[in-house]
Amino acid sequence: MPAFSPTALTWYGILALLVAVVYQQGPAAILDKVLPDTGLFIKIIQNAFSDTHCYVSITTLDSNLPHAECFSVAGGKFTRVFLDDTSFAVIKEKRTGHVIPGLWDGHGHLLQYGELLDSVDLFGAANMDEVKSKIVEYKRNHEEAGTKEQWLRGVGWDQAKFKGKWPVASDLEINKEFKDQYVMLDRIDVHCVWVSNKVLSLLPSPLPKVEGGEIPAKGVFCDNAMDIVMKYYPKPSNQRKAKFVKDAIWELNKVGVVGMHDAGVLPEDIKLYQELVKDEDWSLRVYAMLECETRNTFCPTDASKFSERNGKLDVQSVKLFADGALGSWGSAMIEPYNDKKSSTGSLLINATALTKLTQQWARAGYQVNIHAIGDLANKLAVEAFTAAYPLLCPDLTPKECQAKHRFRIEHAQIIHPETLRIMADIGIIPSIQPTHATSDMHYAESRLGHKRMEEEAYLMRSLLPLRPILGSDFPVEPANPFAGIYAAVTRRSPQTGLDANGGTTGFIPGETITLEDALEGFTRNAAHGAFSEGRVGSIEKGAWADWVVLDESIETIGEEEIRKLTVKETWIGGKQVYHRAGPIPMPYRMFEGPGDFRKKNVEEP
């Protein structure tokens, strides 16, 4: 018997289907009822030749059709999105799953996240003893860590948990074995590192003074001072980095993340990405911001703009740094800190240099994204942008020039009212992380004072006209976007469901946003901030076929259920990249045309 190709079998199937219809209805009925209704006829033909998926509900975030029931996919893109008016009710009743567009994290760190997964997780450690216990446990299971060639790494400590006192190098000499260990632990905001005495022995003596950096205790280096340590840090091999990246991608797919803005990628790592993206295991879309090997410099020859045809990797932006972080008193403030009157924080670059770099990178064709947390840093970032507009667009208004270049402020955490007015007038894009607000709410008033906190800090609703991009800043915060959505909608902790006072009012509740606004921030606004609108962030014809399947509709569940949501399936480019462990129900799809009939199920191990 001759072998039949899937295509041939499909045509035989279509023919059999047509014969059955004609037999049941009669030729006259077909001619009278089907052919005159050309719309119905076209829909039947489209369904016959498409890979079409139908669900209980589909939230598209496309204003032309906000809600749908089915979509068709070909070549990795949506070819049709529609309400199903051809299926019988009994078929619709058997469908499962509620779909939203694939989620984007507007600010994260892919390689660092993967490295965290292979490091000591200190997030949530309540005191020094708990930190030490976690380190010892990690070392027990990773004997290779702690050598001069492979330091023991970790992230997540907070001096606030040590009765407000900075840790010191000798604290890491936990027992006799640890006297010889090379240990480097990142603070919760990754703006400080805490190292062991063995690491200190590698550094120059006396330690140099670094502008924009601080050494608050023996063994702790903050902001630019971290460079003193990083010169001696043995970088992981490309093989280990590749593992970090793949591990991170898997974890992101599990929580419904199909794309991310990678906020600071070194030239050597961009080259690694360009190799790894060729692998089918690369199931993530990455909009990478170039960061020079020497921070806050101009290095256009070290890496070039790049765009992968399959939409998986895009390099056309650069990240600059204006200041440090609030938790370590490093964010640059106009007025002194409320709980540290002698300090206004740290500028990591002066205003003149920041303005010059902004102009250099923008002239080289890059989108410029500036890390700014304190109100002084945000002010200088806005001034750097406004100084660039006349040079870049002499015939355009600042607002028109901004619309063309889409400059961004990463974090935009504490904004003086006058700075906010200028941002609003011009349209400067804020990229914010809702869970930073709920993580910082316990000490924000102590740092800023009540008036400044209420007027300037952790704005969200006030930024809505600027189409804010939402993200997490993983691994600083959990990568789960539903935690960010919950924090944005309620201004309460996704872990506890409570605010800083143990209640349910929320932190600065006047800045809450709606569920629709939060979804836009993790989808369409992220697309806009990466020049990708119409291609990602929504379910519409011509966009990449990225979607997430949930058990329940996120639009109808209660607020408290948002933080408990788990992803059932994640799809990228029409390919399933994650399926939650458990029984896999038969998918109720409309007729799948020529192609791969045996879909590969991707399950959590």
Side-chain angles (χ1 to χ4, degrees), residues 204-385:
S205 182
L207 293 170
K209 290 186 178 180
V210 180
E211 185 177 353
E214 185 182 7
I215 305 174
K218 183 180 180 181
V220 176
F221 300 78
C222 295
D223 295 315
N224 285 352
M226 293 191 295
D227 293 342
I228 301 171
V229 178
M230 296 310 294
K231 290 179 182 178
Y232 298 89
Y233 172 59
K235 293 183 178 180
S237 66
N238 277 354
Q239 184 178 6
R240 289 190 70 209
K241 286 182 179 179
K243 181 182 183 304
F244 295 158
V245 168
K246 290 180 180 181
D247 289 348
I249 288 175
W250 170 248
E251 292 298 323
L252 293 172
N253 290 164
K254 281 172 60 177
V255 292
V257 174
V258 303
M260 65 165 293
H261 298 177
D262 203 343
V265 187
L266 299 178
E268 64 184 52
D269 296 329
I270 284 179
K271 292 171 184 175
L272 176 64
Y273 285 10
Q274 289 173 330
E275 290 300 314
L276 294 178
V277 76
K278 300 173 185 176
D279 194 320
E280 286 194 10
D281 289 344
W282 186 282
S283 56
L284 188 72
R285 303 192 189 282
V286 175
Y287 184 76
M289 305 177 198
L290 173 64
E291 178 185 340
C292 297
E293 183 72 36
T294 300
R295 180 179 285 182
N296 285 337
T297 56
F298 185 57
C299 61
T301 59
D302 291 350
S304 57
K305 293 174 71 176
F306 176 86
S307 186
E308 187 72 23
R309 289 182 62 186
N310 63 9
K312 295 285 184 71
L313 180 62
D314 199 357
V315 183
Q316 60 174 315
S317 65
V318 66
K319 186 180 180 188
L320 305 176
F321 294 81
D323 66 347
L326 183 70
S328 51
W329 296 277
S331 50
M333 305 301 300
I334 296 172
E335 299 293 335
Y337 279 95
N338 183 64
D339 58 352
K340 195 175 183 182
K341 302 293 186 182
S342 62
S343 176
T344 54
S346 302
L347 280 174
L348 305 187
I349 184 173
N350 64 52
T352 301
L354 182 62
T355 298
K356 180 180 178 181
L357 276 175
T358 297
Q359 294 171 6
Q360 287 177 313
W361 280 110
R363 281 176 164 171
Y366 286 79
Q367 176 194 38
V368 180
N369 308 324
I370 300 178
H371 164 115
I373 292 181
D375 54 9
L376 177 60
N378 278 281
K379 177 177 182 288
L380 297 184
V382 168
E383 290 176 354
F385 293 153

Side-chain angles (χ1 to χ4, degrees), residues 110-121 138 142 153 155 243-252 254 475 479:
L110 185 64
L111 190 57
Q112 292 91 327
Y113 183 37
E115 190 168 11
L116 166 66
L117 296 172
D118 194 43
S119 305
V120 189
D121 184 352
Y138 177 86
H142 300 80
R153 294 296 310 273
V155 63
K243 181 182 183 304
F244 295 158
V245 168
K246 290 180 180 181
D247 289 348
I249 288 175
W250 170 248
E251 292 298 323
L252 293 172
K254 281 172 60 177

